[in-house]
Amino acid sequence: MQKTLRSNPYKLEQPAVVQFSGGRTSGYLLKHIIDAYGGKLPEDIIVCFQNTGLEHEKTLEFIRDCELNWGVDIHWIEYDVKEDKDNPTGSDYFPKRVTFETACRKGEPFKKMVIRQGHLPTPLARTCTSYLKVRTAQRYLKQFESHKDGWVSALGLRFDEPHRVHRVKPDTKFDEPICPLYYAEVTEQMVLDFWRDQPFDLNLPLGGNIAGNCVGCFLKGRPKTETLMKEMPEHFDVW
């Protein structure tokens, strides 16, 4: 069920979380939700960015610029592990809040997840997304009294991505995903036009979004990965 006010898809049923990936589309979504509430989000709407430590520095700068230009409190959180040196795969994990200045930049959350899980993620077992993003956010949000019984999650999926929208389903009984951009019929071109009129933008190298999210993500495919390895080999040290 789309839990928004139908007259304005950017007005969310609360409590809610805006899942901010650090890309232009999720930034567009965040700004329109902020505007729907007159420039200031209600306390029961939390904005989250889950840092893996493998994002490009320009992605982190873009998120910081959104905070500064829009006066919004973005919760930067990371997967961390309560160390058990005698049994690393049995160590528990927890969400840690960080800032632009203190956020990991050398893949530390990813490395800790791999050690704890005992294996690398694969296309069929995307433990990186599951643990570094989804479960870390869920554990973090449950700490808030307003969110302890559940929330809706606003995702940055557009009208021209129906295949992705229709695959969306709740991760747990606590988390109900919604796609305001789909109901607002927002397309990629609309997002690009919006950012051309803004005083700041996401300035990833190589054009487009090839270096977006985790720079060396295995889901990008071989041609893109080979280009990235050639142009920015330092991002592949951790791999």
Side-chain angles (χ1 to χ4, degrees):
M1 179 182 296
Q2 169 70 5
K3 286 194 170 184
T4 65
L5 300 180
R6 290 290 182 173
S7 61
N8 188 343
Y10 299 115
K11 282 213 166 184
L12 312 178
E13 182 173 316
Q14 299 169 44
V17 58
V18 181
Q19 297 286 2
F20 189 19
S21 69
R24 288 189 180 97
T25 296
S26 61
Y28 179 104
L29 171 64
L30 173 58
K31 183 61 166 68
H32 283 72
I33 292 175
I34 294 171
D35 289 348
Y37 289 96
K40 184 176 176 58
L41 292 178
E43 290 185 2
D44 287 353
I45 297 180
I46 296 174
V47 185
C48 275
F49 164 65
Q50 293 90 275
N51 181 47
T52 67
L54 297 172
E55 288 82 5
H56 195 280
E57 184 67 20
K58 291 299 181 181
T59 294
L60 305 185
E61 292 176 4
F62 177 68
I63 298 167
R64 176 205 60 192
D65 291 345
C66 289
E67 289 183 295
L68 296 177
N69 282 272
W70 299 340
V72 60
D73 183 21
I74 297 177
H75 295 236
W76 296 55
I77 55 176
E78 293 177 352
Y79 172 104
D80 205 353
V81 172
K82 297 176 182 177
E83 298 284 353
D84 184 348
K85 295 181 180 178
D86 295 327
N87 184 21
T89 59
S91 301
D92 197 12
Y93 68 95
F94 65 97
K96 176 176 69 174
R97 186 168 184 183
V98 297
T99 64
F100 170 76
E101 290 77 16
T102 63
C104 291
R105 287 165 165 83
K106 296 183 179 179
E108 296 91 336
F110 182 85
K111 293 176 184 177
K112 291 176 181 179
M113 184 272 297
V114 170
I115 292 171
R116 181 178 178 275
Q117 294 297 116
H119 58 82
L120 289 165
T122 71
L124 294 179
R126 294 171 57 183
T127 50
C128 44
T129 298
S130 177
Y131 283 91
L132 300 184
K133 298 285 188 178
V134 177
R135 299 190 186 193
T136 292
Q138 289 171 348
R139 288 196 175 194
Y140 180 74
L141 292 166
K142 287 177 184 178
Q143 299 175 9
F144 294 86
E145 181 66 24
S146 58
H147 287 61
K148 65 181 179 66
D149 294 323
W151 56 86
V152 296
S153 290
L155 307 178
L157 300 180
R158 303 183 306 267
F159 185 67
D160 52 358
E161 301 177 294
H163 58 293
R164 297 182 65 194
V165 172
H166 297 316
R167 287 204 307 262
V168 168
K169 59 183 179 180
D171 291 294
T172 70
K173 64 180 180 180
F174 292 96
D175 187 351
E176 182 165 350
I178 60 172
C179 302
L181 299 179
Y182 178 79
Y183 289 92
E185 299 187 1
V186 173
T187 64
E188 182 180 22
Q189 189 59 54
M190 293 168 65
V191 172
L192 295 176
D193 291 344
F194 168 82
W195 284 108
R196 272 194 283 271
D197 293 333
Q198 301 308 306
F200 68 99
D201 196 359
L202 174 62
N203 295 310
L204 289 169
L206 305 181
N209 197 40
I210 184 174
N213 298 318
C214 293
V215 175
C217 178
F218 55 85
L219 294 177
K220 291 183 177 181
R222 181 165 180 163
K224 289 182 179 179
T225 301
E226 288 180 341
T227 298
L228 289 164
M229 292 179 73
K230 179 181 178 180
E231 298 295 332
M232 48 188 76
E234 69 278 5
H235 282 277
F236 290 83
D237 291 344
V238 64
W239 298 102

